[in-house]
Amino acid sequence: MATLLSILIILLIFGLFVSVFFIIAISDAKVREKNGQHIMESLPDNVAIKSVVRYNIGRPQGRFLKMKSFQGSGVLYVLGEKVYFKDILGNEDHVFDLQTCKMSWVENKINGITNAFKIADHEAIIFFYIDRGGFVFKAIEENISTSDLYLRLKELRKKVRSAKKAELGGE
């Protein structure tokens, strides 16, 4: 009887631990979703591209072993000739110039959950990807795939560069 009671207590403690873990994960996802939606709603109407993204900055993406697949969440959007990244927590906001930034696709097959793309300038290198199933009960449906977002950004950058070349050639 004592053995059975010990096993039940251990299972109860384990169940309580797992429940607390899931409650924390769900509440974190809800906060991320709410903050992402708030940023998306506060953007100007003339934004060319906008998407809720996950991100990593610099070295964590290239490590063989890392603790989690993303560093944080934010909103990536294009306004004029700039790509803006707003971190949900406001810690890692950055603005990239479409004329001078470098964009490249990163296949993450070693330790990553997903592929990503990176945008780099002289100040920062940030890896982005879209987590379509990022929320336990609801995914943000207006998001496009990571590869679609990357291709749209590359196409927009190409148009901006072509327009600048035409402008400089016309003078």
Side-chain angles (χ1 to χ4, degrees):
M1 185 69 173
T3 307
L4 182 62
L5 186 59
S6 297
I7 291 173
L8 286 175
I9 290 173
I10 290 172
L11 287 175
L12 180 65
I13 291 171
F14 179 74
L16 185 64
F17 175 74
V18 170
S19 298
V20 168
F21 176 77
F22 277 112
I23 288 170
I24 291 170
I26 290 169
S27 68
D28 184 48
K30 290 288 186 186
V31 167
R32 241 186 357 261
E33 179 182 19
K34 180 181 170 190
N35 291 343
Q37 287 295 344
H38 176 70
I39 292 171
M40 292 281 275
E41 291 166 1
S42 69
L43 295 177
D45 292 335
N46 58 343
V47 170
I49 298 171
K50 62 182 176 181
S51 186
V52 175
V53 294
R54 298 267 176 109
Y55 73 92
N56 280 329
I57 294 181
R59 291 187 309 270
Q61 186 70 17
R63 290 186 188 151
F64 182 71
L65 294 173
K66 52 188 178 206
M67 293 303 289
K68 56 185 180 178
S69 63
F70 68 95
Q71 188 171 336
S73 299
V75 174
L76 189 70
Y77 64 97
V78 177
L79 187 61
E81 296 182 1
K82 306 279 186 198
V83 177
Y84 294 86
F85 172 64
K86 289 185 81 67
D87 179 18
I88 284 179
L89 299 176
N91 298 330
E92 303 294 344
D93 295 353
H94 193 74
V95 179
F96 296 98
D97 186 348
L98 274 173
Q99 293 273 340
T100 59
C101 71
K102 294 181 171 75
M103 293 183 204
S104 59
W105 184 253
V106 180
E107 290 202 29
N108 196 2
K109 296 188 189 269
I110 296 173
N111 188 29
I113 293 173
T114 187
N115 293 324
F117 64 91
K118 71 177 178 178
I119 303 178
D121 64 10
H122 62 283
E123 294 177 13
I125 299 172
I126 305 178
F127 296 82
F128 297 102
Y129 76 92
I130 294 177
D131 187 9
R132 297 192 71 128
F135 307 110
V136 176
F137 298 110
K138 175 183 159 199
I140 297 176
E141 285 112 18
E142 63 263 13
N143 274 347
I144 58 177
S145 71
T146 303
S147 59
D148 289 341
L149 177 59
Y150 171 70
L151 292 173
R152 287 179 64 190
L153 286 170
K154 292 279 282 192
E155 185 63 32
L156 192 57
R157 184 178 69 167
K158 184 178 177 182
K159 287 179 184 177
V160 166
R161 286 181 173 178
S162 295
K164 281 294 181 188
K165 282 183 184 178
E167 184 181 299
L168 292 174
E171 290 179 358

